[in-house]
Each structure stands twice: as C-alpha cells, then as structure tokens.
C-alpha cells in the first residue's frame, strides 16, 4: 500500500546540507547578537486569536492560520452559525499560529514589564506561518530572526544595528552591500514641503516603488491618489537623481525633516567612534517601509548582485505595547531575512566548504576483525573532537567509500590486515585520492592542525 | 484599553534566563551528535493529516491539533456534514501540527530514499504539539530531540547510543544515572516461558508498572487480563528481586530470549572497546516501553534523585517507513526529553554559572561626554570577543548599576572625568564590589584570561 508523503503547499523540509548552511548563517548572527548584549527569547507557536487579530490589518487577519478547537468543536455553535464560514469561525477556533515575532514580543513585554530589566534587548529566531499564496521565494512557513531593544530612545541602538549588520555580513563573507537609511520625520518633512501634510502614507507607498516603476510610474500613481501636479513637481526636485543629503536637507529647511536629519547625523557621528573602514550607510530618501508602525529612523539592507531583495530591515517605533494597554515603551528593532540571505549567499557562492560541520572522517574496514580494531581509533578521534564515524556494516570497500562520497566526508581511514599488523593506518583523501600511511595519533595531529 | 496578554493553555514563553539554560543543554547535545556523525534535519510544523492520522493510535489522533482550511472553509461541506463535528472535521481541515518527530522523519526518508546516503544518521530538535490536558510537567507544546540511524542493523548503532548518552550526561555534569536496557526478544522469551506466547503486549503493559505498583499490583493487573496463576508464578521466578541477567538467561534457555541476550552481550563487548570507566548500562527485565513499534534492544535513562522520570529513551525498529509504502528500512533511535533534563539539572543544581553566555561587561558613565568616550572601549571589548554593552542613556549611576544587577552582568566599567583624563578605567565586580583601576587593554586581558 503506497501512501502519499507530500508536504503541505508552501512548506519545506530542510535536509542536512541545507540545515548546515542555514546553521552557518544563524550561528554567526547569534554570535554577533550575543556579543552586543542581546539575549534569546522564544514564544509559543500558538497564540490566542485575541492577541493576533487586528494587529496586521485586514490582509494579515485573512492570512492567519487558525487551529480548530479540540474535541467536539461544534458544541459552541448554533445551526445559524454554521451557515457561513464567517459566522462559524470564531465559534470553532480561538488559537492561531504566530504570524510574525513582533506581536508575540510585544505581548511578552506587556505581560512581563514589571520583571524585565529595561532597556530589554532580546533576539528571537523562530518560524512564522502565513496562509499566503506560495510562489518562488515565498513560503507559508519561514524563519524570522529579530533583534529589538525596548525601553530607551538612545540613538546608540540605531548605531549598533548598523554595526551588527556590518559584522554579520562581514562574517558571512558579504562585502558589497548597502544599508539604506531614511527617517519617518524626513518623509513627513517631504509631505509638508509638497503642501500635502497628512498624506504621508499614500506618498510612502508611491515613492517606495521608485526602484521598480521609475519616476514616471510614481508620478502616475501619485496623480491617481489625488496629489496635485504642483505637489508632484515639488517632489521631483527632491527625488532628483544624485541629489545629496545636504541638498535635500536644505530644501526641506523649516519642515519636520530637520529633526530627522539631526538624528541621522548624530548616528553617523556615534558610528565614527567605531572607526569602520566603510559603514555602508547610504541615505535613501525613497526608502519608506511599512510606515504605520515606525516613527523614527528606518533601515533596509541590499546586497549587490545577489538576485534577491532586501535581506534585512527595521526601524524605530514609539510604542511597542500600546495595543496591549501598556503605553510608552519605545524601541528599535531589525530582522534578517534568513531565506533571502541564504539565496544571496548561494547566488554569490559564499558558503565556505570548510566551515560546514559535517563528519570529517569515516573509518572503513575489510572485515569484522578490522571493524573491531577500528573502534579503538574511533574512540581516539572523537576524544580529540574530530567528528567521525565507522561504517557500521561489513561490506565491500567500494560501498563504504561510496557512502563517504555521498555524505561529503573528505577523509577516510582504511583498516585492513596490514594496517592492523603495523598500527599504521591508511588515511585517504576523498578529494585527491592521495593515500598516506600513519599512526592514529599522527592522523589526529594532521586533522586538528588542518582545522586549527 | 487593556487587552489580555495570556498564553494558550499548556504553552510557555522561554525568557532569556531559561533560554540560555536550555541552549546550554541543546548545544552540548548537538556537539555530541555532530561528533558522532549525525546531521541536522528539520521538517515543517504542519503535515498533511493523511501523513499524521492513523500513526499514533486512536488516542493520538484525538490529540492532533488541526489547522482550519483557509478562506471559506465551509465550501466543501454539505448541510448534512455540518450536523456533527465528526462528519465536518475532514471537510474543513487537511493539515495538522507535528505530533512527534518520528513520523515526519519516516515521511522524509520514504520520500527521499533515492537521494539519501544510507545508513542515514540524522538528528532533529524541534517542538511538537499535542492537545493533551495540561498539567505539571506536561505541555501542549514541547521540544523533542531525536537521533536515529536508518539503513543498518549493526549493533554499533546501539553501542553508540550508549556512548552518546554517557557523553551528553557527562558534559551536563550528571554523574549518577543508569541506562536501563532490555530487548524485545527477551520479553518474547518471557512470554513463551510463561506459556502465553502472543500475549506480549498485555504482559509489557503490566510489568512496565512494576516500579510504580509493585509485584502485588502487577499480579493483580495480569490476573485481570486473563493470565493464569501458573503463568504468573513463572513470571515471578524471573522478576524476583536481585535476579542476575545470567540467571534469567539460563531460565529462558530455549526461548526467543537467547537472540536478545546474544545481542545484548555483543553490544557490551563492542562497548568494551571504548574503555569507559563505567558504561552505566543496567539490564532491566521490567523495561518494556511502547513495544508496538520496537523490535530489538530498548533503552531508558534514569537520573538518580532527579525528581523526574526517564530523561531519554529509544530502541531498535525493523521497519520505519513501511507505513509509507517503503519496506525494509530498519533503524534505531533515541531521544532526550529536554524539559525533564532541564528540571533534573535544576533539581540537582547543575547549571554552571559561568557557562551561560550572557553579557559580561556593562560600561556605565557619568555624562554624555563619558558615554562618548566609552564607545571606543566598547569597540575594543567586542573586537576581543567579549559580550559587552554600554548603558544607552545618560542617567543616574545607580540606575545603570541596577540594570547590570538585574540582567546578571558581573562586571561593570565605570567612566567618569578622572577615568577619561588618565585612560585608567574603573573595573568593578558586581559580585564582590571590588574596584580596580586599569587601562582598557588590561581589562580585556583580565577578562579573556578569566574565560580561557
């Protein structure tokens, strides 16, 4: 009887090779977060729907995965309720799967605010679920990787985000990237300058697309939203190609933008204390992100020639927990898009062969006696911290070597009767085919020196 | 407006302190798994119900969390279907949350069998969900931590499970524990000896409770299941207190038990090649586990005086993937119960203070100028790999020290005008209150030596 073994649409298995590469990325990110004083947090996959609903807009609510109540789930519903999905749903579900890491974090901060040492710096790396239409690069289950500081307005937080992005990407071997920065107040200033204050969200949606649809496209879109020709003309003087930050600052003199530029400059000055050769920060007036939430500096990271969109983004918000009835906890956060980082690194061929922690050595053997002899060597190899295996069955050497090959094990130790007699084992490189005869202690020295 | 921030019943947040301790356990387990040649695998939280259902018995099916189909979920159901939960459920859900890691692993192996290098050694550390009634120590979301080898019958796999359990517990500082071992074939032999072959599963359920209800209780239970007095009498000669393995072996001569004892002895002999001072293996005729699944050696690990039940268990099975239509993939696996291990370590006070990776140093400062001066030191500390922070705001020193205290940061560097003038910073121990004046490079040497 053949049963089907397919996965739900939009979900993936991560086999060993992919997992090791993902772990390479995540281990580096965790190391940097930890060194910057961020501590780990995990929240449950399920949250009460009352916590999730109304936090992500109508579209978001629609994309929540809901958990059917246990047992006789219809017991709380009337025949009337059962006529429509929309009337039945709240009677048969009260939990949903995490949609992002921000709302659970806000819930955590709100309910633990009396026990937390503020400022609270946490990172969180967990999957989230969205009932989105799956397509290339968009999944229904994917990891988010967030770091936030709440309880302070200090610009050192923004500065450290820039530093952390630099450190992480450097550790991953990414060199050509830019950290685009803008400020909510600067965009407000643009609105004031255009004579359309209060239209910030329409404006943002428009200029955010400048990269994709060009200036003519943006003009058309803004026109359609009721922006006057005059106001669009004014916008043009700001978005003009190659316009410097200083120039834009002077055009927007007297608007809210000044506060934004001041913060930007303070951050750049703080950054200078860290003496980076290149901080990769690039002011970008067309960066808008989801402004509803952000109130200060906003970020987005682009890797050149990576074939993917932004791999990281974030910004400052004034009020993380207001929606849970706890006011005035400001903060700033950012996240790495692990799937995109993975794709970018693959595209740029940046995964180091040697840093992937797979098995280093396989012991192969000619018969049971050789196998038994090999156990002693296996013990010594592992005691020396070398990831090693012995082929478990007595079988043809070719089959054993095939296993090493398939699993990407780069060294094998061959044990035959000659080796047992002399104690000199054969170390064979699977890459070059080269064979060397040496004692197990010498093999251990060779392998640990190579790794060191 | 105060909104509720409660968690679904049976689920937990893991705050930083708990997370660091959990990570201490998991990092050690991962290190050992990797050194033994196991590679990581992750599968999606959701599986198709056709994959999950019928794999865990009736009780298990009832405890599956089911995901409501997206959108107009009632569209595939008739008015008739909607009368009963039992008739509606299959019309409105087709996905469920992972209930364990074994079935997803079996599905993975079945669907990737042509690409896998057999034997395939994988470990998997992910949460699972069960709609069980929550109670002390039982959660609706909890982590499992499995390692399996499939594609070989070699007893080196069982041997390595014993070795890995020894290594992991040693790394965690657990010294007083036993690895109880029994064999399905030995229990079959007991059944034959009792004159009740084929009654293995009733017998197992009974003797598995010997610890809890004592011999009189077991007798009563077996009697209730139709075992004759004569057969129970025979069982008594085997379960007798202090009965040695050799004695039991000789009583069961001529039954299937011989094969089981032979494997047990082979494993012990292989183990001897690894020269453990104490392998902690203890033959236990009353160990039964969930026999429906296992076909060979079975394991369970008990930590003495830990206040919890078994912290690890596993065994050999003949046919992992048969249920998915792929026959003859034998294997052996085991898992650590992370929640129980955590509780046991807490109970025994085994978490090392120094191995928890929190922030090591906080830089505190008297004013903005000192803050700015501190950034340079912060840079050097982090470059030296020391997890460090600067207090982000200019505020009273007492508040800054309070933050260090609350976050468990054990060292602070104090920067005032005197420190800026001389370049000698004040390093203060939060534990002893001791203060020392030294340059930043000397501080770095002090801290890195202490860690090394």
């Amino acid at each position: 009887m053949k049963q089907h073994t397919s996965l739900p649409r939009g979900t993936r298995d991560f086999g060993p090779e992919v997992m090791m590469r993902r772990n390479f990325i995540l281990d580096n990110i965790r190391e940097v977060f930890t060194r910057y004083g961020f501590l780990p947090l995990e929240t449950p996959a399920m949250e009460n729907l009352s916590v999730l609903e109304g936090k992500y807009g109508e579209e978001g609510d629609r994309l929540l995965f809901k958990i059917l109540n246990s047992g006789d789930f219809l017991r709380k519903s009337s025949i009337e309720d059962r006529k429509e999905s929309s009337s039945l749903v709240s009677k048969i579900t009260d939990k949903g799967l995490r949609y992002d890491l921000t709302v659970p974090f806000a819930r955590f901060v709100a309910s633990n605010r009396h026990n937390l040492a503020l400022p609270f710096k946490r990172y969180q790396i967990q999957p989230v679920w969205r009932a989105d239409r799956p397509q290339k690069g968009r999944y229904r289950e994917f990891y988010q990787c967030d770091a936030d500081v709440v309880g302070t307005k200090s610009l050192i937080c923004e500065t450290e985000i820039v530093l952390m992005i630099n450190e992480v990407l450097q550790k991953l071997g990414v060199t050509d990237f830019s950290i685009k920065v803008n400020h909510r107040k600067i965009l407000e200033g643009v609105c004031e300058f255009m004579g359309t204050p209060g239209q910030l969200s329409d404006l943002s949606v428009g200029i955010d697309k400048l990269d994709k649809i060009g200036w003519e496209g943006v003009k058309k879109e803004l026109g359609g939203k009721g922006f006057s020709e005059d106001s669009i003309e004014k916008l043009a003087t700001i978005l003009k190609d190659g316009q410097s930050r200083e120039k834009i600052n002077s055009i927007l003199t007297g608007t809210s933008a000044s506060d934004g530029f001041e913060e930007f400059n303070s951050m750049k000055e703080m950054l200078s204390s860290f003496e980076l050769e290149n901080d990769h920060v690039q002011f970008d007036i067309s960066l808008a992100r989801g402004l509803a939430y952000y109130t200060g500096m906003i970020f987005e990271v682009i890797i050149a020639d990576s074939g993917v969109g932004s791999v990281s983004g974030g910004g400052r918000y004034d009020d993380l927990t207001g929606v849970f009835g706890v006011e005035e906890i400001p903060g700033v956060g950012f996240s790495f898009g692990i799937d995109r980082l993975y794709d970018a690194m693959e595209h740029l061929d940046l995964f180091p062969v040697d840093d992937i922690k797979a098995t280093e050595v396989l012991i192969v053997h000619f018969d049971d006696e050789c196998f038994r002899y090999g156990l002693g060597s296996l013990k010594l190899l592992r005691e020396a911290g070398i990831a090693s295996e012995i082929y478990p069955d007595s079988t043809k050497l070719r089959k054993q070597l095939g296993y090493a090959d398939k699993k990407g094990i780069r060294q094998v130790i061959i044990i035959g009767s000659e080796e047992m007699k002399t104690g000199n084992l054969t170390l064979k490189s699977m890459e070059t085919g080269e064979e060397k005869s040496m004692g197990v202690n010498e093999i251990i020295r060779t392998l640990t020196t190579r790794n060191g």
Side-chain angles (χ1 to χ4, degrees), chain A:
Chain A
M1 175 195 57
K2 171 136 180 77
Q3 287 220 359
H4 93 154
T5 54
S6 69
L7 285 172
R9 285 198 316 140
T11 70
R12 298 163 286 175
D13 288 324
F14 295 123
E17 217 171 311
V18 176
M19 275 298 291
M20 285 187 284
R21 293 177 154 203
R22 287 174 71 89
N23 285 343
F24 174 74
I25 296 175
L26 291 175
D27 288 346
N28 276 302
I29 291 175
R30 264 187 222 109
E31 191 281 322
V32 171
F33 284 168
T34 304
R35 196 147 38 77
Y36 278 74
F38 289 78
L39 299 180
L41 172 74
E42 283 189 11
T43 62
M46 296 180 227
E47 295 274 355
N48 288 318
L49 282 175
S50 55
V51 165
L52 298 176
E53 283 179 329
K55 308 302 189 298
Y56 305 108
E58 233 172 87
E59 166 82 355
D61 280 352
R62 215 170 44 73
L63 299 184
L64 291 174
F65 277 111
K66 291 169 183 155
I67 314 254
L68 193 63
N69 290 342
S70 299
D72 180 15
F73 57 86
L74 281 176
R75 68 188 178 281
K76 289 181 195 161
S77 69
S78 65
I79 299 296
E80 197 58 30
D81 291 333
R82 297 176 199 176
K83 285 193 175 152
E84 301 279 347
S85 296
S86 56
S87 54
L88 183 59
V89 63
S90 67
K91 304 289 161 68
I92 61 172
T93 66
D94 53 27
K95 291 180 287 297
L97 292 182
R98 189 166 58 216
Y99 180 88
D100 72 359
L101 303 179
T102 304
V103 166
F105 175 54
R107 179 202 39 76
F108 177 84
V109 171
S111 63
N112 293 280
R113 64 194 177 284
H114 300 304
N115 306 315
L116 289 178
L118 288 185
F120 180 56
K121 302 168 85 168
R122 85 85 173 79
Y123 72 85
Q124 189 169 354
I125 303 177
Q126 292 191 279
V128 301
W129 296 271
R130 297 181 183 180
D132 228 334
R133 200 141 62 94
Q135 56 186 68
K136 189 182 172 328
R138 190 198 287 163
Y139 302 98
R140 294 183 141 194
E141 172 180 75
F142 57 97
Y143 268 78
Q144 288 194 338
C145 169
D146 283 20
D148 290 77
V149 192
V150 294
T152 173
K153 293 184 173 178
S154 170
L155 291 172
I156 184 68
C157 306
E158 280 86 340
T159 309
E160 291 193 334
I161 288 177
V162 170
L163 291 171
M164 287 190 284
I165 291 169
N166 269 287
E167 286 215 35
V168 166
L169 292 183
Q170 192 188 341
K171 282 167 80 101
L172 297 182
V174 178
T175 49
D176 194 1
F177 62 93
S178 57
I179 305 174
K180 296 185 175 186
V181 177
N182 200 358
H183 198 293
R184 163 89 180 226
K185 286 261 163 38
I186 295 174
L187 289 167
E188 280 175 6
V190 172
C191 259
E192 293 162 18
F193 172 72
M194 289 166 66
T196 56
Q199 306 264 52
L200 181 56
S201 104
D202 281 346
L203 176 72
S204 302
V205 173
I207 66 172
D208 209 28
K209 294 184 187 159
L210 192 59
D211 272 4
K212 283 181 205 144
I213 61 177
W215 172 242
E216 288 307 315
V218 172
K219 256 169 89 169
K220 210 171 145 191
E221 174 143 344
L222 292 178
K225 293 230 161 123
F227 284 83
S228 69
E229 261 182 54
D230 182 49
S231 70
I232 295 177
E233 207 57 46
K234 281 184 155 173
L235 179 62
T237 65
I238 292 171
L239 293 187
K240 216 159 57 181
D241 261 0
Q243 189 83 293
S244 75
R245 189 172 85 242
E246 290 72 18
K247 191 71 209 288
I248 295 174
N249 193 353
S250 86
I251 296 174
L252 296 176
T253 303
T255 70
S256 305
S258 308
D259 294 349
F261 281 112
E262 202 179 299
E263 286 200 6
F264 181 88
N265 292 334
S266 296
M267 181 192 76
K268 282 289 282 186
E269 205 197 317
M270 268 191 207
L271 260 179
S272 69
S273 294
F274 293 89
E275 298 170 339
L276 299 186
E277 219 172 282
N278 174 1
D279 63 20
H280 294 272
V281 169
Q282 195 184 300
F283 175 75
D284 184 347
I285 187 71
S286 75
L287 175 68
R289 294 185 61 81
L291 271 180
Y293 181 61
Y294 293 117
T295 53
M297 209 107 66
I298 49 181
F299 304 87
E300 210 162 273
V301 180
I302 305 288
I303 299 178
D305 308 316
S306 63
V308 301
S310 73
V311 296
S312 176
R316 176 169 283 282
Y317 40 85
D318 266 351
D319 183 14
L320 178 75
T321 54
V323 73
F324 293 112
V326 178
E327 307 286 342
E328 284 176 44
I329 302 191
V332 53
F334 77 116
S335 72
F336 284 107
I338 301 304
D339 287 309
R340 283 193 181 170
L341 255 184
Y342 186 99
D343 290 346
M345 288 188 60
E346 195 154 62
H347 190 82
L348 296 169
D349 200 15
L350 291 177
F351 285 110
V353 179
D354 288 351
D355 283 4
I356 301 296
K357 290 178 197 148
T359 299
E360 276 182 71
V361 192
L362 175 72
I363 298 175
V364 301
H365 38 83
F366 282 94
D367 57 30
D368 269 352
E369 205 187 335
C370 299
F371 170 84
R372 189 59 58 95
Y373 183 94
L375 296 181
S377 307
L378 184 61
K379 169 182 188 286
L380 296 173
L381 286 162
R382 286 182 182 153
E383 277 173 4
I386 297 168
S388 36
E389 297 178 49
I390 190 163
Y391 194 85
D393 299 295
S394 287
T395 181
K396 275 174 288 187
L397 203 62
R398 220 182 111 205
K399 191 168 173 195
Q400 302 183 49
L401 295 175
Y403 170 78
D405 198 40
K406 228 174 162 183
K407 197 167 171 176
I409 302 174
R410 276 166 294 156
Q411 308 283 341
V412 297
I413 292 173
I414 303 171
I415 298 181
S417 54
E418 189 59 29
E419 280 82 0
M420 286 197 290
K421 215 184 306 163
T422 63
N424 281 325
L425 314 182
T426 301
L427 179 67
K428 178 188 169 89
S429 159
M430 292 298 289
E431 285 158 309
T432 64
E434 192 193 358
E435 296 189 2
K436 274 185 195 160
S437 176
M438 52 179 116
V440 64
N441 289 317
E442 202 182 337
I443 290 179
I444 289 171
R445 269 197 303 280
T446 307
L447 294 177
T448 45
T449 318
R450 199 178 295 167
N451 294 339

